[in-house]
Every structure is written in structure tokens, then in C-alpha cells.
Amino acid sequence: MLRKGTYLFTSESVSRGHPDKICDQLSDLIVDAYLTDDPFSRAAIETVVTTNRVIVLGEVRGNPNVTKTLEEKIRHQVRDIGYEQDGFHYDRFIFQNYIHKQSVDIARGVDATADKDEGAGDQGIMFGFACTETETLMPAPLYWAHRLLENLDHLRKNDAQGRLLPDAKSQVTLIYEDGVPIGVKTLVLSTQHRDGLDQYAVFDYVVPMIYATFPERWIIETTELLVNPTGRFVVGGPDGDTGLTGRKIIVDTYGGAAPHGGGAFSGKDPTKVDRSAAYMARYLAKNIVAAGLASRCLLQVSYGIGIARPLSLYIDFQGTGNVPEYQVEQAIMTHLPLTPAGIRKHLGLNAPIYLPTASFGHFGRQPTDSGLFSWEKCDLVDFFKTC
């Protein structure tokens, strides 16, 4: 049930230069490299970064020649993120590659044969969510936490003085009135900066960007603006904190406003339902809300390893629905593709489209004609209006 009255809700985001997000980007870069060579490649990649070291691990089924170009691609990506620091430099870090062939037992359960459809790459539960709090049908606190760091990244890249460095985090607490966000209660922004800048200089530099990010009158005299609350953030990135793929799953999804399934997304090819079915769940939830069936939609789907059909589908309109949930569940199960192969075909997921998903969220993004963020399209609205 949608909560009434006044309350607060908080979400956070991290920048492209956050150690965990570096790993997500490098893992998805590797997935894209294999899918570019062969759209039916399989990959499950993990990345670790620490002081001047990048380690990639995982299992693949694809052209072994792809590995020959990975180091060059990874160094280019680290440079694009902005790392040219003594403790983590794109041209000087030690690179270690421990990627090996995928288990034949996993492949056996997933591959289609003459007497069985392609199965899910693993068991799991996946969630999708949409709401009317923003134009993108995403929860407002996460939406604005992402936008804040996108704008900070733009500010950093266009600063001739080089005051800011790549590592950053945001946290946005919004005030709600009867389920509608109306303003910012507290904003935390921690941004890495070059040595010699004090907290006040960083504050003065980023505050105009903060005000420009949010709707007019959302930041008022009583809003708490906490910029680098520790006072100093010079040592950052992998030199300050070890990074690992898949540790920012709430940042990647709905900012805590909805449940998250059992697995991360980055580093996984689309036969892994952790990723593809979560994208499908968001796609369905977004189209349901866009069709006006509800102002909030939470959707869960589950799979078993090696089994093509979903084991369950659950929808909850959280008290905002205009039609019964079971009616929509039946329509989806009867008419829409929910097998792993069906999802990949419908959303065009066997393409090298994953690196852009690895920063600023997998959802609430702008779909493109080239296939990026296809799960954000609202092309099922007419279908759901008939439910």
C-alpha cells in the first residue's frame, strides 16, 4: 500500500571511477568483446582492482583469440574513466588474466538440443519495478543520485584546472508527501580531489552544479548539503579501496525502493537470467505503469537451471492498480516470451550493448536505435491496455 503522510527515503549512487564500478565496466567490456566476435558467446567475468593492479577472472565459451586484445581494451577504458594517478595509472598497472573455458556441465544444462529448449543458465529470482515518481518511471531518490554524479563527471572532465578526480559517491534523501517527492532533505556528495584543495574550495566549486541538477525549489535553506564530510578525499579509487564486480547491485537497480534478486548483472552474458530476466522484469513493469494499469508495479519472476519456462510470476501493484494483478499475470504468461531464448530475441540481448549499463544504473536510461537499453522501451503499452 502506498504510504500516506510525510516521510523520507534515501538512495545512493557511485561514479564511474568508484573501484567497484571500474570492475563492473571492465567485466562488461570483456562480455562485449566476446559478443562482438560471436553473438552466442558465453561469459561470466569477475574483475578485481587494487593499487596499480587489475585482475580478471571467469569462464567463457568463445573465440580464444579475443583474450589477445583484452589488455589493450582494459587500459583504454581505465584511461577513459580518468585514472592517471600514482596509485592507479592506466599505463602502469599490472594486468593479470585468469579467464578460462566454461564448464561443460553448465553448458549442457543451458544449451538447446533436439528434445529440449535452451534452459536458464542458473536458478534465481529476479525483480522488476516501475513507478510514476519520475519521467523515466524510476524511484526519484535513485534517479537524482545518478543525475548528480553524471553532472559531476561532466564538471570534472571539463575543468581545465583538474580540481576533481574520478572517484565519487552521492546519497540523496528526499521528502515525500503522500507518496510524491517534493524536495531534498539531505544530500551527501563525496568527491575525490587533487591535493591542495580544502573542503571549502571543493564545496564552492560543486554547489552550483548541485543546484542546477535538481528541480527548482527542491533545495531550500533547511536542506543539508554535506560535501566531503570527512574534510579530505585525495587518496581514492583502487589505491584507496579494493574494487570487485557486482558489489553495487542496489545502485544498479532501484536504490532500495524495490527488492533485488539473487545476482549481480555486470560480467554476465544474456543466457544468465540474473541479467536478462531482470531486464525483462523491468521492461514488463515499466510498460504496465506506462499503460496506466497502476502507478507502481513490482514484478518477480523465477527460474531453475536448465529449465526454459519460468517457475513463477508475481505482480504487486502496491495498492495502486486499476485491474487485478492475476489478470495481468495470466496475459504475460500466455502471450509474452519469458524463456531465456525468447527474452534475448525480444530485447536483442545477444549484442555488445553492456558496457554503458555498468555506470549510472541499468534502468531508467534512454533506449537507442542501436539496441542500447532496449528494456526501457514502452512498446507494450497497447498490449497491456487490453488487459
Side-chain angles (χ1 to χ4, degrees), residues 222-255:
T222 57
T223 300
E224 291 183 280
L225 296 182
L226 305 175
V227 176
N228 283 8
T230 65
R232 176 181 166 89
F233 188 4
V234 173
V235 178
D239 191 31
D241 187 15
T242 297
L244 182 64
T245 303
R247 288 205 300 200
K248 288 293 175 283
I249 58 176
I250 300 302
V251 170
D252 286 343
T253 52
Y254 305 106

Side-chain angles (χ1 to χ4, degrees), residues 159-181:
D159 179 21
Q161 297 184 39
R163 282 167 281 196
L164 303 184
L165 299 175
D167 195 0
K169 300 180 74 171
S170 66
Q171 184 170 287
V172 176
T173 300
L174 295 186
I175 306 167
Y176 281 76
E177 188 68 45
D178 293 334
V180 178

Side-chain angles (χ1 to χ4, degrees), residues 284-294 297 299 315 317 328 332 384:
L284 295 173
K286 184 176 183 180
N287 276 268
I288 287 168
V289 171
L293 273 60
C297 178
L299 186 149
I315 292 175
F317 292 153
V328 182
I332 291 173
F384 281 118

Side-chain angles (χ1 to χ4, degrees), residues 40-246:
F40 298 99
S41 296
R42 305 275 174 80
I45 306 298
E46 309 292 342
T47 302
V48 181
V49 295
T50 187
T51 302
N52 270 329
R53 190 176 296 269
V54 173
I55 306 168
V56 295
L57 315 93
E59 305 80 46
V60 298
R61 188 173 74 182
N63 185 348
N65 290 327
V66 171
T67 61
K68 296 178 181 179
T69 63
L70 288 184
E71 181 175 351
E72 179 183 357
K73 292 177 185 294
I74 286 170
R75 291 188 186 277
H76 177 82
Q77 184 63 24
V78 171
R79 183 180 186 181
D80 184 70
I81 294 169
Y83 277 102
E84 301 181 45
Q85 302 170 15
D86 289 342
F88 194 69
H89 194 291
Y90 74 91
D91 196 38
R92 296 201 293 269
F93 65 72
I94 297 170
F95 176 69
Q96 295 172 266
N97 183 349
Y98 298 103
I99 296 173
H100 58 87
K101 288 181 63 175
Q102 183 188 56
S103 162
V104 294
D105 291 339
I106 294 175
R108 182 173 179 230
V110 175
D111 290 345
T113 63
D115 58 356
K116 97 173 176 67
D117 293 331
E118 178 187 290
D122 202 350
Q123 71 177 45
I125 57 172
M126 300 83 202
F127 288 93
F129 182 72
C131 64
T132 55
E133 293 180 11
T134 62
E135 291 184 356
T136 61
L137 304 185
M138 287 288 287
L142 181 66
Y143 174 86
W144 293 111
H146 284 325
R147 299 296 79 75
L148 184 63
L149 289 184
E150 283 186 302
N151 291 342
L152 182 73
D153 195 52
H154 181 78
L155 185 69
R156 176 183 64 83
K157 289 180 177 178
N158 290 278
D159 179 21
Q161 297 184 39
R163 282 167 281 196
L164 303 184
L165 299 175
D167 195 0
K169 300 180 74 171
S170 66
Q171 184 170 287
V172 176
T173 300
L174 295 186
I175 306 167
Y176 281 76
E177 188 68 45
D178 293 334
V180 178
I182 60 172
V184 179
K185 174 66 170 64
T186 306
L187 185 150
V188 183
L189 179 63
S190 296
T191 177
Q192 188 185 14
H193 57 87
R194 64 172 170 81
D195 201 3
L197 285 183
D198 63 24
Q199 183 182 17
Y200 302 103
V202 175
F203 183 93
D204 289 342
Y205 182 55
V206 302
V207 158
M209 178 275 299
I210 293 173
Y211 274 87
T213 297
F214 289 88
E216 190 177 358
R217 293 186 293 276
W218 268 33
I219 298 178
I220 59 177
E221 291 80 4
T222 57
T223 300
E224 291 183 280
L225 296 182
L226 305 175
V227 176
N228 283 8
T230 65
R232 176 181 166 89
F233 188 4
V234 173
V235 178
D239 191 31
D241 187 15
T242 297
L244 182 64
T245 303

Side-chain angles (χ1 to χ4, degrees), residues 353-373:
I353 57 174
Y354 296 106
L355 177 56
T357 70
S359 49
F360 308 123
H362 292 246
F363 305 132
R365 311 292 291 278
Q366 183 64 38
T368 69
D369 292 338
S370 62
L372 292 176
F373 303 104

